[in-house]
Amino acid sequence: MNYSPGPPEKETAAHQTPAVRAETLTVVRGPRTALRDLDFTVPRGQITGLLGPSGCGKSTLMRAIVGTQAKVTGTLDVLGSPAGHPSLRTRIGYVTQAPSVYDDLTVRQNLDYFAAILDPGRAAAGRRHANVTRAIDDVDLTTYADALAGNLSGGQRSRVSLAVALLGTPELLVLDEPTVGLDPVLRRDLWNLFHDIAAQRGATLLISSHVMDEAERCHRLLLMREGEILADDTPDALRTRTRSDTVEAAFLHLVDEAIAAGRTKEAAR
Amino acid sequence: MSTGTPGSSTSSTPGTTMTMTPAPPRALNASRTTATAARVLRQLGHDPRTIAMMILIPCVMLFLLRYVFDGSPRTFDSIGASLLGIFPLITMFLVTSIATLRERTSGTLERLLAMPLGKGDLIAGYALAFGALAIIQSALATGLAVWFLDLDVTGSPWLLLLVALLDALLGTALGLFVSAFASSEFQAVQFMPAVIFPQLLLCGLFTPRDNMHPVLEAISDVLPMSYAVDGMNEVLTHTDVTANFLRDVLIVAGCALLVLGLGAATLRRRTP
């Protein structure tokens, strides 16, 4: 897993606007409100963890940020443009929870195709080839480059999906549970890769997880529950504020607080 | 083909910040379209059995038909020519509806639409890939029928091939369109009897359309497959390109483009 440092001008321009800025962000899915009045920012060049129990709206929030979610109201700016703006499509890498790759293509053929969509034209063929080879190497699948994606294990397929998002040099990587179902060694390697990408390319990463021990590896955390944001802070600050030893304990503390606050509100009615 | 909808025209953009600049309407991007077509063909390349079936089944059916009507070669002429138009429509319908349904359910469509791929690029890519397959399929079937099974065509076999190709495009378009209304492969396959069979019954394959009940004849007048079969029969009986043939070809091509446009409208960048 090696990296050539990203273009230097990105480092300087990176900190002008936050990577993501949301104000009164609301998303309605069918009869229910999946996200309610969210206000938050995601700083550039860091890893922000999006944590919360399954069904709390993590994936919906990610889909809103990459611009594939319908019925989004409020303000949601991504890299300085409204979410879903066509100019963002080459600047964001997005990995869905279920691996979205073609099972009837090999790993390399999958990446070749997505690379041709991101960076089309015959003139770019050499650059594409280099990008594809590097992305395969990033996710440690070089020995499987010519295997059909459908024949790989679940963890390997999700790494193919991740490699697609690493093609090109996205300024923002939105990764929905990228380490689910992976063994500890691979998880550690991927987190090292994420840190390399943030440090060397100056990219912003938004990574969701429901595994709380991964939270310790993030620079910042957004804790979510039932479509609302419970906390937006660094792991250290969270632990200190809640006087807990782990982020998990901090999260549980905040959930209890939120439930208690909900009860008093209801009682006051 | 001008069905390529500019990517910016999604219905619900979070537009409360008014920094939104309308993206210039993009024409088809040739490289992305051919990359998509190559990818679709590569997927099929890993599935040689499907290719073999697509190409061989029409030939076997024609062969069978030739000897079913062993005693009445005139009947074989008319039914055989009609089938040369119907086969590509049915196969491409099936293959496209399943392929695009997979694309929708596997998440690759969402991924592609979050990338700088125009909807027109995707549809044109599919049309190009399946069109190429249809050419091979139709060329083999037409060649077999004309040279080995003594199908008696008055007009040029090239015109048969042209109609067959347009039928394949129509099949691709219909398949793409109905895949939006299917949430599983089971449903997608059921659209074949629902969409194709009525057209098959009414297209004039079994009995000339003017012998049908007037209501059915009127219905058959608005179904595209009727014109596909009429076009084939024009080639069968006339040496030259007739006005009726031109009308049939234009109607089939027009329907294909119309349905492709409708199909493009079902590809949403933002989904609930």
Side-chain angles (χ1 to χ4, degrees), chain A residues 23-47:
Chain A
E23 270 168 32
T24 62
L25 172 68
T26 300
V27 175
V28 179
R29 292 192 73 184
R32 43 184 285 276
T33 307
L35 301 178
R36 200 173 300 114
D37 263 343
L38 304 191
D39 292 283
F40 65 90
T41 55
V42 173
R44 292 211 190 202
Q46 293 192 347
I47 300 180

Side-chain angles (χ1 to χ4, degrees), chain B residues 30-90:
Chain B
S31 324
R32 293 198 176 108
T33 303
T34 47
T36 303
R39 183 264 297 175
V40 172
L41 290 176
R42 229 170 253 148
Q43 283 180 286
L44 279 172
H46 288 289
D47 187 3
R49 195 181 302 171
T50 297
I51 298 185
M53 286 169 81
M54 283 171 84
I55 286 172
L56 290 181
I57 288 177
C59 294
V60 174
M61 288 298 143
L62 280 172
F63 190 77
L64 200 66
L65 212 61
R66 163 69 184 77
Y67 293 100
V68 166
F69 294 108
D70 203 25
S72 49
R74 293 302 309 159
T75 319
F76 173 67
D77 286 349
S78 115
I79 293 188
S82 305
L83 282 182
L84 282 178
I86 293 170
F87 280 137
L89 201 156
I90 294 181

Side-chain angles (χ1 to χ4, degrees), chain A residues 29 63 67-71 74-75 77 83 85 89-90 94 100 102 104-105 109 113-114 117 120-121 161 164, chain B residues 7 12 16-17 21 31-32 36 39 42-43 46 102-103 106-107 110-112 114-117 269-272:
Chain A
R29 292 192 73 184
R63 282 168 41 86
T68 56
Q69 178 67 46
K71 295 194 177 162
T75 305
D77 283 341
H85 193 272
R89 287 181 199 140
T90 46
Y94 170 44
S100 41
Y102 298 100
D104 42 6
L105 290 181
Q109 285 172 341
Y113 173 56
F114 289 110
I117 298 303
S161 197
V164 176
Chain B
S12 63
T16 42
T17 40
T21 44
S31 324
R32 293 198 176 108
T36 303
R39 183 264 297 175
R42 229 170 253 148
Q43 283 180 286
H46 288 289
R102 273 202 207 161
E103 190 99 69
S106 69
E110 178 171 315
R111 167 163 252 165
L112 285 174
M115 285 183 173
L117 179 76
R269 285 195 196 270
R270 288 179 179 273
T271 48

Side-chain angles (χ1 to χ4, degrees), chain B residues 8-254:
Chain B
S8 59
S9 65
T10 38
S11 49
S12 63
T13 4
T16 42
T17 40
M18 285 287 96
T19 44
M20 188 90 169
T21 44
R26 275 183 303 140
L28 282 182
N29 179 307
S31 324
R32 293 198 176 108
T33 303
T34 47
T36 303
R39 183 264 297 175
V40 172
L41 290 176
R42 229 170 253 148
Q43 283 180 286
L44 279 172
H46 288 289
D47 187 3
R49 195 181 302 171
T50 297
I51 298 185
M53 286 169 81
M54 283 171 84
I55 286 172
L56 290 181
I57 288 177
C59 294
V60 174
M61 288 298 143
L62 280 172
F63 190 77
L64 200 66
L65 212 61
R66 163 69 184 77
Y67 293 100
V68 166
F69 294 108
D70 203 25
S72 49
R74 293 302 309 159
T75 319
F76 173 67
D77 286 349
S78 115
I79 293 188
S82 305
L83 282 182
L84 282 178
I86 293 170
F87 280 137
L89 201 156
I90 294 181
T91 17
M92 294 310 147
F93 174 84
L94 276 176
V95 174
T96 316
S97 57
I98 300 284
T100 42
L101 179 73
R102 273 202 207 161
E103 190 99 69
R104 286 175 205 272
T105 51
S106 69
T108 45
L109 182 68
E110 178 171 315
R111 167 163 252 165
L112 285 174
L113 292 180
M115 285 183 173
L117 179 76
K119 298 172 193 174
D121 298 337
L122 183 69
I123 291 178
Y126 266 102
L128 209 63
F130 290 144
L133 267 178
I135 289 179
I136 300 174
Q137 184 198 51
S138 309
L140 275 176
T142 311
L144 177 81
V146 172
W147 286 308
F148 294 96
L149 300 177
D150 304 319
L151 184 82
D152 203 0
V153 203
T154 317
S156 158
W158 290 109
L159 294 179
L160 288 183
L161 206 58
L162 172 71
V163 182
L165 180 63
L166 289 175
D167 289 347
L169 277 184
L170 180 64
T172 300
L174 285 170
L176 187 84
F177 181 63
V178 303
S179 79
F181 304 98
S183 51
S184 72
E185 261 105 339
F186 290 133
Q187 291 179 12
V189 174
Q190 294 301 322
F191 271 114
M192 144 92 169
V195 175
I196 302 291
F197 277 20
Q199 300 201 56
L200 208 56
L201 290 177
L202 297 180
C203 70
L205 179 67
F206 297 102
T207 178
R209 291 198 290 132
D210 44 15
N211 288 354
M212 291 176 190
H213 187 280
V215 174
L216 292 186
E217 193 188 343
I219 296 176
S220 79
D221 282 342
V222 295
L223 295 177
M225 199 193 277
S226 309
Y227 297 94
V229 168
D230 281 1
M232 285 299 192
N233 281 316
E234 287 292 313
V235 185
L236 195 69
T237 49
H238 299 87
T239 28
D240 300 322
V241 174
T242 61
N244 275 346
F245 176 80
L246 274 183
R247 180 206 62 183
D248 295 335
V249 164
L250 287 177
I251 288 179
V252 174

Side-chain angles (χ1 to χ4, degrees), chain A residues 32-201:
Chain A
R32 43 184 285 276
T33 307
L35 301 178
R36 200 173 300 114
D37 263 343
L38 304 191
D39 292 283
F40 65 90
T41 55
V42 173
R44 292 211 190 202
Q46 293 192 347
I47 300 180
T48 300
L50 186 58
L51 290 123
S54 39
C56 71
K58 299 188 296 281
S59 297
T60 307
L61 178 55
M62 296 192 135
R63 282 168 41 86
I65 290 171
V66 298
T68 56
Q69 178 67 46
K71 295 194 177 162
V72 180
T73 52
T75 305
L76 182 59
D77 283 341
V78 179
L79 302 172
S81 305
H85 193 272
S87 71
L88 292 173
R89 287 181 199 140
T90 46
R91 299 167 65 196
I92 303 180
Y94 170 44
V95 183
T96 49
Q97 208 164 338
S100 41
V101 291
Y102 298 100
D103 279 347
D104 42 6
L105 290 181
T106 67
V107 173
R108 181 172 280 281
Q109 285 172 341
N110 263 294
L111 289 164
D112 279 341
Y113 173 56
F114 289 110
I117 298 303
L118 287 171
D119 191 7
R122 203 167 292 165
R127 192 166 60 222
R128 278 205 300 271
H129 184 81
N131 271 335
V132 166
T133 307
R134 192 202 58 195
I136 294 177
D137 186 47
D138 280 347
V139 297
D140 208 9
L141 282 177
T142 310
T143 44
Y144 292 93
D146 295 316
L148 280 185
N151 292 344
L152 298 178
S153 74
Q156 289 168 331
R157 283 175 72 233
S158 59
R159 277 186 284 154
V160 182
S161 197
L162 176 61
V164 176
L166 300 178
L167 287 169
T169 36
E171 294 162 57
L172 172 65
L173 271 170
V174 179
L175 311 178
D176 200 350
E177 311 226 342
T179 57
V180 151
L182 301 183
D183 63 80
V185 178
L186 212 49
R187 259 171 53 183
R188 184 201 59 198
D189 288 352
L190 282 182
W191 275 99
N192 288 342
L193 172 70
F194 298 154
H195 278 276
D196 284 353
I197 292 173
Q200 289 166 18
R201 298 187 199 167

